[in-house]
Amino acid sequence: MSVGRSPSVRLRRLAGELIRMRCEAGYSREEVAQILGLASSTVYRIETGHTRPQGRTMRDLLALYGANGHERDALLELIRDAGRRGWWHHFGDVLPGPYVGLEAEAASVRNYEPVMLPGLLETEAYARAVIGAALVEDPEEIERRITVRLERQRRLSDPAFELWVVLDEAALRRPVGGPYVMAEQLRRLQEIAVQSNVTIQVLPFDAGAYLGMGNPLAILTFAHPEDSDVVFLESAGGELYLESADDVRRYATVFDHLRAAALSPEKSREKIESVEKEMA
C-alpha cells in the first residue's frame, strides 16, 4: 500500500472553488438547485466536500458559472483526482470519518493528547490494547484497525512531513496493556522523538492547570496554499472538523499555549525515559 494524493483534500479544494465561482456569479445555493433541477441538499453536500458531483452535474455547474477554459480544465482535473481512491478506502468499514485521508496529504500535524498516545506513535501492542478497550471484539476488525494505524505511521518516514505532539504526563503513566506493553511503547516514543521531523513535548503534572486541558485536538496543515488548515476534534459524541479561519486561529493559539507550558523536547525525552524505567 502506498500513500497517494488524498481524494478528501481534492474534494475540499473543489468545493472551495465551486463556492467561489457561485458567489462571483451571484447565485445562492437555492437558486443553483432550482436552475439545475437539483435538491438543495445536493448542492450543499457538493459545496461542503461530502459529495463528488457527477459528470453531468459538474458540467452544468461550470456552464452556469461561466467557467473559462483554464478554470474548466483545472476543475475537471480536480474531480478526476477526487475520484481516485487512496489506500484507506479499503478500510472504510473501520474508519468513521475522513481524518486518515486528510492526514495522508497533510504537510504537518499538530496534536495534543491528554489521556492516550496518538495513532501515529503507537506500537502494535499498545494499539491492540486501546482497540480492545473500545469493546471491539471481532478479531478481523481488530486486525484491520491495527493495520490502518501501522500504515498511517509510514508518514513519519517522509522528512517533508512534520509532526508536533504535546502529551499530558497522564498519557505516559496510564499502563495501557500493562507495564510491559507500556514500557515498550515509551521506548518507541524515545526512538521517534529524535527524528528531525518529529517534536514531542510532555506537559508534566506539576504544570498544574493549563489552557486546553483535557480536550484532545489535531491541526492539519497542507502544502498547497489553496488547501486551508483543518482542526480535528474527537469525543464520545463523534468527530468534528473545523475549517473557518477564526476557528483555526483559535485552536492554533490553544496549541501554542500547550507547547509553551510543556517541557522542552530535550526535557520531555528525559521525562519519557524516566517513566519508562519506572514501568520496567
Side-chain angles (χ1 to χ4, degrees):
M1 290 180 282
S2 61
V3 174
R5 293 182 293 183
S6 169
S8 302
V9 174
R10 296 299 183 263
L11 273 180
R12 290 177 66 241
R13 190 184 303 171
L14 176 64
E17 286 298 304
L18 290 175
I19 291 173
R20 177 188 63 79
M21 295 175 69
R22 173 175 60 76
C23 292
E24 290 179 354
Y27 294 109
S28 67
R29 283 176 179 165
E30 291 73 21
E31 289 171 332
V32 170
Q34 184 176 12
I35 293 170
L36 298 185
L38 301 171
S40 294
S41 59
T42 299
V43 179
Y44 172 80
R45 290 182 63 80
I46 290 172
E47 290 193 352
T48 53
H50 288 88
T51 296
R52 176 174 172 263
Q54 298 298 314
R56 179 175 178 178
T57 300
M58 188 65 184
R59 289 192 295 272
D60 289 346
L61 287 170
L62 294 177
L64 179 63
Y65 300 156
N68 60 39
H70 175 72
E71 286 178 322
R72 185 182 181 86
D73 291 344
L75 291 174
L76 290 176
E77 177 62 24
L78 268 182
I79 199 171
R80 281 192 290 270
D81 276 353
R84 300 186 179 111
R85 292 181 174 270
W87 63 265
W88 54 91
H89 281 277
H90 297 291
F91 298 89
D93 58 319
V94 297
L95 294 175
Y99 181 82
V100 171
L102 295 173
E103 181 187 80
E105 194 161 320
S108 69
V109 174
R110 287 166 283 175
N111 193 187
Y112 161 66
E113 292 290 346
V115 178
M116 61 183 186
L117 303 180
L120 286 174
L121 302 179
E122 294 177 0
T123 64
E124 180 176 341
Y126 183 99
R128 192 177 297 278
V130 170
I131 293 168
L135 303 181
V136 179
E137 299 179 353
D138 179 20
E140 183 177 352
E141 181 178 349
I142 291 173
E143 295 307 316
R144 287 173 64 76
R145 287 176 179 267
I146 291 173
T147 298
V148 170
R149 272 176 164 80
L150 298 180
E151 180 67 19
R152 287 169 56 198
Q153 293 176 11
R154 294 178 60 176
R155 290 304 320 272
L156 298 178
S157 63
D158 180 0
F161 174 72
E162 295 183 356
L163 176 66
W164 196 313
V165 177
V166 176
L167 300 170
D168 191 290
E169 186 174 342
L172 303 181
R173 293 191 175 278
R174 183 176 299 278
V176 174
Y180 176 81
V181 169
M182 199 62 205
E184 178 190 44
Q185 174 64 76
L186 294 174
R187 288 193 293 272
R188 171 66 173 154
L189 279 186
Q190 294 172 63
E191 295 170 359
I192 297 175
V194 298
Q195 292 186 201
S196 60
N197 62 329
V198 176
T199 301
I200 298 176
Q201 290 183 263
V202 176
L203 262 161
F205 287 147
D206 58 19
Y210 53 84
L211 180 65
M213 183 170 60
N215 299 302
L217 71 94
I219 305 172
L220 295 87
T221 299
F222 303 91
H224 199 290
E226 294 182 8
D227 296 327
S228 59
D229 293 359
V230 176
V231 175
F232 170 70
L233 306 174
E234 186 177 20
S235 68
E239 298 182 347
L240 179 63
Y241 297 84
L242 305 176
E243 301 181 42
S244 75
D246 288 342
D247 286 333
V248 171
R249 278 194 296 269
R250 181 164 66 253
Y251 281 97
T253 298
V254 170
F255 190 82
D256 286 342
H257 279 273
L258 289 168
R259 62 185 184 183
L263 298 173
S264 69
E266 294 76 17
K267 291 293 184 181
S268 294
R269 288 198 293 272
E270 293 176 7
K271 169 66 75 172
I272 294 169
E273 182 180 7
S274 173
V275 177
E276 182 262 316
K277 289 179 178 178
E278 292 178 29
M279 291 285 179

